[in-house]
Amino acid sequence: MMIETERLIITEFTLDMVESVHLNSLDEDNRRFVPDEVFETVEEAKETVEFLMGVYENGEGPFVYPVLLKDGTYIGYVQAVPFDDGSWEIGYHIGGTYTKNGYATEAVKAFLPVIMKKLGITQITGICLADNKASVKVMERCGFKKEFEGVGTYQGEERNICKFIYTK
């Protein structure tokens, strides 16, 4: 995959991104909102990147793609993750150093039509913690419609969540 926007490149993982993936995963927002995506060691990040690279070949999600600045700096990722019922969820993370620049919105807007076509779907879900105001804004700015806000399962715990749906 290769998607270019005005400021970003969305591509496939390579092993030279491992250290950046590790460092980016350690920021406070990642720890708070997606703790299962924190890699405490470079080796943990490497194992995950290797797994994700294999997914590109075997064709079974999750499909996770790095988001780079035009100069090649790794700043985060966008992803499509399958649910057991055959539907899909979008996910994204931009490292704390790079937030508040509109990168997540830019990446998600560019990613949605490409990944939905690849997966052959017309609808994708977005779920976040209700207090993750930045993520709520990204989904709203990208055309997702809020379907639910209340207590639901998130990362294996009952939490106050928002569920959004995007339909093309």
Side-chain angles (χ1 to χ4, degrees), residues 7 18 31 34 37 45 67 71 78 106 133 144 150 157 164:
R7 303 178 297 165
V18 167
R31 289 184 185 282
V34 281
E37 296 176 9
V67 176
D71 69 3
V78 289
E106 187 174 332
K133 302 300 182 196
F144 284 77
E157 296 178 25
F164 293 84

Side-chain angles (χ1 to χ4, degrees), residues 25-53:
S25 81
L26 299 175
D27 74 48
E28 194 53 42
D29 281 347
N30 218 33
R31 289 184 185 282
R32 181 173 169 206
F33 297 122
V34 281
D36 66 328
E37 296 176 9
V38 174
F39 308 112
E40 297 293 350
T41 66
V42 172
E43 187 56 38
E44 285 178 30
K46 182 176 187 251
E47 288 173 12
T48 299
V49 167
E50 288 173 337
F51 166 78
L52 295 172
M53 289 168 60

Side-chain angles (χ1 to χ4, degrees), residues 1 111-123 168:
M1 175 174 295
F111 183 64
L112 280 169
V114 175
I115 197 65
M116 291 176 79
K117 182 177 181 182
K118 174 184 171 100
L119 298 173
I121 59 175
T122 58
Q123 187 170 298
K168 70 173 193 171

Side-chain angles (χ1 to χ4, degrees), residues 13-14 17-26 30 37 39 45-46 48-49 66 74:
F13 277 107
T14 58
M17 297 175 190
V18 167
E19 186 169 345
S20 295
V21 169
H22 160 66
L23 294 173
N24 235 8
S25 81
L26 299 175
N30 218 33
E37 296 176 9
F39 308 112
K46 182 176 187 251
T48 299
V49 167
Y74 174 87

Side-chain angles (χ1 to χ4, degrees), residues 88-99:
W88 290 83
E89 177 187 13
I90 192 152
Y92 44 87
H93 175 73
I94 300 297
T97 305
Y98 304 100
T99 59

